[in-house]
Amino acid sequence: MAQQACAQQAEPAEAAAPNDQQVQDIVVTGSRIVRDGYTAPTPVTVAPTADLAKATPTNIADGLNKLPQFSLSSGPARSTHNFASSAANGNLLNLRGVGPERTLIMFDSVRMPPTTFRGVVDVNIIPNLLVERVDIVTAGASAAYGSDAVSGVVNFVLNKKFTGLTGVVQAGVSQRGDNGNEKFGLAYGTDFAEDRGHILLSGEYYNNRGMLRSDRKQSLGNFLYAGQSRTALLAGNPAGSAANPFAIYSNTTITNSTVGGLINGPAGFSFNNFRFNQSGQAVPFNAGTLIGTNGYAVGGDGYVISPNTTAVAPLRTYQGFGRVSYDLTDDVTFFGQGVFTRSDLQYASLANAFSAPANVTIYSGNPYIPANVQAAMTAQGVPSFTMAANLSYMGPLQAKERTDFYMGQAGFEGKLGNFNWNTSYVHSKSIFTLAQQTFDIKKTFAALDAVRNPANGQITCRVLLDPTVASQYQGCQPLNIMGEGSAAATRAGYDYANGVSRYRAETTQDQLQASLSGSLFDLPAGPVDIAIGAEWRKQKLHLTSNSDPATLAGATAAQTTALRSAYFAGLRGVPTSSLYYNITNTGIANGSVTVKEAFAEISVPILKDIPFIRALDVNAAGRITDYSTSGRVETWKVGGTWKPVDDLLFRITRSRDIRAPALYDLFAGDSSGIGTLNDPVSGVTANVSQITGGNRNLKPEKADTFTFGGVLTPSFLRGFSISVDYYNLKIDDAIGTLSVAQIVNNCRLDANAPECALVNRPSAGAFPTSVRIAPANIAVLKTSGIDVDASYRTTLGNGNLSLRAYVNYLDSYKTQQSATQVVLENAGRGSNGSQPIARPKWRGTFNVNYENDGWGVFISEQYIGKFKLGFPAATGQNQVFADPDVGTVWYTDLTISKKIDAFGGDVEFFGTVNNLFDKKPPLIPGTIPGVNFPTIISVYDQVGRAFTAGARFKF
């Protein structure tokens, strides 16, 4: 499947099995210097799309993510969907696991512009049918291709000379009847004008209906990792410490709230710690059996996060592509091409809730208060009480994301003596929109503050009786949340309070590029080849929002108070941290950057055909880049290849690479969301307001990469080849942000730490009202490992047999979030947080393909090695598990196909079973029950056994 370019090229054509077609030389992406048979010093993996489709027929990205060089990629089945503020739910490829923003995505050697405002590319936009193969450069390549190629390049190579009609029709479903999907596509290519011109057209449609977490039994047990000992917790040992390690519980609940509402103030009120039941009456709250983490219990009346939220997000894509080329002369060709794609993603996120400490206030006189509670309030002089409530019975909140992508390119290419040249202009636009259902805070607090109208005795919103503000709340309907199902009984009030937070991000990019490559002159060992070029591009971001937090904040505290008072006029009980919406409040962003670049590359043959040196070449590349935001930066690469004998090749590279900050990193306005914090200061576990914003002082990250390896193609074993490559990548001044938990913990450990300025507490020891997060050039990342690629082709009986094994060993993956943080060694470890990840030391893909008389059998084994949960205790992050070991997992995919001749062309019928043995993912719950599917979704399969059947044809 994933063929190493140099291994493929180094294998002599005569080594192929007798029934194989002649293997043709290909030009791969490892270098801008093109030369048939050239073996790049930078490791390059070539993945033919035909082979990717055999393993995973849904789309190319899903097939790539089964290769071990991709780690922790995002996707509809690999992302959490609790909230809608990440804009990172598409297929985002992640080479080496260092982040999709550090992987350069190219479409036929053209840099793809960002498709999300986060600065990354959702590869769902790339048309699949006319992609011939995917070249994967698994080392730094910024000198050759520019910024973002820190971990490498993924280049989707177009079959520009395709002629004929090809297409695919297929459908699939999981064994349990969900994740139904359909795919249809048609592509056409033809010559015209006596073969001087060529036209390509394609259109594709893909639809996956996804699944909910509740569709799998593993999500229904309310599993939780919590402290093993309540006694140890009360003795001052936090959950996850050595004395109170994490252990798995089932049937857990969250004790700071209930579905019907939990009264938790004021102090001394006789109904404190009472809950409202289905009939709306106040009854004593049963906390259940408390465990070794504050805020959680086994059983009891606490609430359970509903599993009726999305596990695999429904995805629908439409893709259209067209290209025309025409030979103006024998040496000059004009070309133009265009892409339009639409990607729609929809998911069910967490239900509306009022969680501690941002509780809702219910005032005396509210007609929904039970009579005995109201009597106690009157007798005790209690003007109001606070309560927390989870409205899961109202169902999850729906979020919709849409990405519309346009790209047009026009240019010329040709030959000039020994040189090839090309120049082109590219214009692209990406429009990302999101709509998230959530409580509109202003309307919600108006609806919750219910009273009786003295004129008619009807229950109404209190603000409607105030003539000075009533006009702001026209249509207000009262809402009751005291009792399980009470909001459903006052549906008009719930509908009035529920709003839609929206934002729209438009990213445009213009590019001009020109390059020249060819041979300068010949040396005794061969030609000296060069490539030179220049690029110019301008990228703009314009993000608008109906929930910009900055519009509720003034230059001074007094101005902020005035703005909030005007917006929330007439309301009472609105928490000081509240913004426009309960969940998603997104700041606007406007900004642009202009980039000017010039690059050069040279390949020099040193020696050839002498003892122990069949060939010795060196390669060097350099690029100067100037950013309008941060100035000039240089990148470079030096490498070489040595072939001591025909069967063996060694290669080595050293490079300096960069990743420029995304426009949103630079120009984002303040945004607010919520997240759960286990606060070590107050001991409270609750939702906290998280404020994020941009940093215009960001500079490009700098990375140093070293690779060394070799390729063996023994002449005594025809059809066999193996490559082994060591890599070492270090990123300095990496753009990073500390998590809320890290910021709070750093301030706890050092009262003078700069992070303390980011934590807002109403008083010392109180739970924070908000925590601010902003990106900065503060982090360091180091990773190293070994890639092994082995393949063997031969005949078996009357058919052809091919075997391939690709293995990655992760030796080290160290991160340091800032100079004040300790270094974390992540290799061989996993984390079960709100964004669970794992980095097993061993991963592999093993493929067997046998073809005979039109029949084909393809078996793919995906291996995920063992690892330990939790970071070392020296990190101070309390990540000790009673049983930290997670064992190895194998997934098996099977495809059976049959090719027939029909209607003058080839038709291939196929059937694929993914996860053939229905392997369930390891049980790895989070530290908050019910938030995620209880495993590491970025690593393991949630769906189980799934079937796909269809036909591919070519005429």
Side-chain angles (χ1 to χ4, degrees), residues 320-660:
F321 173 77
R323 175 185 169 91
V324 61
S325 61
Y326 185 79
D327 296 337
L328 300 174
T329 69
D330 291 342
D331 294 326
V332 178
T333 299
F334 165 81
F335 67 92
Q337 63 186 39
V339 177
F340 169 74
T341 64
R342 168 168 288 178
S343 174
D344 285 327
L345 201 69
Q346 182 173 344
Y347 45 94
S349 58
L350 298 182
N352 274 319
F354 299 96
S355 300
N359 298 322
V360 66
T361 301
I362 304 297
Y363 290 91
S364 180
N366 188 311
Y368 295 119
I369 298 175
N372 60 335
V373 177
Q374 179 61 67
M377 295 178 72
T378 302
Q380 298 172 36
V382 175
S384 64
F385 62 81
T386 57
M387 61 175 284
N390 184 278
L391 309 186
S392 57
Y393 56 85
M394 297 302 293
L397 301 173
Q398 296 297 316
K400 296 181 180 180
E401 297 181 9
R402 168 170 287 181
T403 302
D404 283 340
F405 175 74
Y406 313 79
M407 185 175 77
Q409 180 183 12
F412 299 88
E413 58 187 9
K415 294 183 179 180
L416 184 63
N418 294 328
F419 290 88
N420 296 317
W421 61 270
N422 72 77
T423 181
S424 67
Y425 166 71
V426 185
H427 175 75
S428 58
K429 177 185 293 186
S430 172
I431 302 173
F432 177 89
T433 57
L434 179 137
Q436 162 78 73
Q437 289 181 336
T438 182
F439 272 146
D440 181 315
I441 294 297
K442 182 175 181 177
K443 291 183 176 181
T444 298
F445 279 86
L448 287 170
D449 196 0
V451 296
R452 288 196 182 275
N453 189 331
N456 56 24
Q458 299 296 314
I459 299 176
T460 187
C461 303
R462 186 186 62 87
V463 289
L464 294 181
L465 302 180
D466 183 349
T468 63
V469 298
S471 61
Q472 297 186 38
Y473 302 97
Q474 290 184 6
C476 180
Q477 297 289 327
L479 171 63
N480 179 24
I481 60 171
M482 289 175 280
E484 299 174 21
S486 55
T490 52
R491 183 76 200 206
Y494 181 84
D495 291 342
Y496 170 79
N498 211 34
V500 179
S501 177
R502 303 177 186 274
Y503 59 84
R504 180 184 187 275
E506 180 177 306
T507 305
T508 59
Q509 183 167 285
D510 291 278
Q511 304 177 65
L512 282 171
Q513 53 194 21
S515 65
L516 179 73
S517 64
S519 298
L520 277 178
F521 52 83
D522 289 339
L523 293 176
V528 175
D529 291 339
I530 66 163
I532 60 173
E535 300 179 11
W536 174 93
R537 64 180 179 274
K538 185 169 186 176
Q539 192 178 103
K540 298 179 182 178
L541 172 65
H542 178 59
L543 190 153
T544 57
S545 166
N546 70 346
S547 58
D548 181 10
T551 58
L552 287 177
T556 65
Q559 291 175 351
T560 298
T561 300
L563 287 170
R564 294 178 60 84
S565 297
Y567 182 74
F568 295 114
L571 300 179
R572 53 184 179 174
V574 180
T576 57
S577 60
S578 293
L579 297 168
Y580 291 102
Y581 293 95
N582 191 39
I583 295 178
T584 303
N585 293 278
T586 305
I588 65 172
N590 288 284
S592 65
V593 61
T594 301
V595 185
K596 294 175 285 187
E597 301 183 275
F599 65 87
E601 184 175 1
I602 186 169
S603 177
V604 181
I606 305 299
L607 296 171
K608 180 180 180 182
D609 295 334
I610 63 176
F612 301 108
I613 303 180
R614 295 292 293 164
L616 178 64
D617 296 345
V618 296
N619 175 275
R623 178 180 290 255
I624 297 174
T625 305
D626 182 73
Y627 293 95
S628 60
T629 52
S630 57
R632 174 174 159 172
V633 64
E634 294 85 24
T635 54
W636 50 266
K637 181 185 74 171
V638 181
T641 59
W642 169 42
K643 182 180 284 190
V645 294
D646 285 336
D647 296 355
L648 181 63
L649 177 141
F650 293 103
R651 58 189 174 200
I652 186 171
T653 63
R654 175 74 165 81
S655 66
R656 164 60 60 89
D657 303 287
I658 60 168
R659 196 274 285 195

Side-chain angles (χ1 to χ4, degrees), residues 122-135:
D122 177 4
V123 296
N124 286 327
I125 66 169
I126 294 177
N128 284 205
L129 271 180
L130 290 172
V131 173
E132 183 177 28
R133 68 181 197 273
V134 183
D135 290 350

Side-chain angles (χ1 to χ4, degrees), residues 106-127:
M106 303 179 74
F107 180 52
D108 209 41
S109 298
V110 175
R111 167 189 290 268
M112 294 297 288
T115 59
T116 81
F117 67 84
R118 300 285 183 183
V120 294
V121 177
D122 177 4
V123 296
N124 286 327
I125 66 169
I126 294 177

Side-chain angles (χ1 to χ4, degrees), residues 878-889:
N878 299 325
Q879 285 277 315
V880 180
F881 289 75
D883 183 10
D885 296 321
V886 179
T888 60
V889 172

Side-chain angles (χ1 to χ4, degrees), residues 27-191:
V27 175
V28 295
T29 312
S31 168
R32 284 188 177 267
I33 294 176
V34 293
R35 182 169 61 179
D36 290 344
Y38 174 72
T39 304
T42 304
V44 182
T45 297
V46 177
T49 54
D51 290 344
L52 293 171
K54 290 177 182 177
T56 311
T58 49
N59 56 51
I60 292 176
D62 290 343
L64 289 172
N65 277 321
K66 291 184 177 180
L67 302 181
Q69 59 266 64
F70 292 97
S71 176
L72 304 177
S73 298
S74 298
R78 294 170 173 262
S79 304
T80 59
H81 301 96
N82 298 321
F83 308 112
S85 57
S86 66
N89 292 310
N91 264 310
L92 310 178
L93 297 175
N94 191 351
L95 265 176
R96 301 290 185 215
V98 299
E101 67 277 6
R102 299 183 179 103
T103 302
L104 177 59
I105 305 297
M106 303 179 74
F107 180 52
D108 209 41
S109 298
V110 175
R111 167 189 290 268
M112 294 297 288
T115 59
T116 81
F117 67 84
R118 300 285 183 183
V120 294
V121 177
D122 177 4
V123 296
N124 286 327
I125 66 169
I126 294 177
N128 284 205
L129 271 180
L130 290 172
V131 173
E132 183 177 28
R133 68 181 197 273
V134 183
D135 290 350
I136 306 157
V137 182
T138 53
S142 292
Y145 297 105
S147 174
D148 306 337
V150 170
S151 59
V153 176
V154 182
N155 185 19
F156 294 78
V157 180
L158 185 68
N159 184 358
K160 293 191 286 287
K161 294 300 182 182
F162 173 77
T163 300
L165 181 69
T166 187
V168 61
V169 178
Q170 67 183 55
V173 68
S174 81
Q175 178 176 287
R176 294 161 182 82
D178 45 42
N179 268 281
N181 60 84
E182 305 86 35
K183 182 178 181 179
F184 310 101
L186 198 64
Y188 176 70
T190 185
D191 294 325

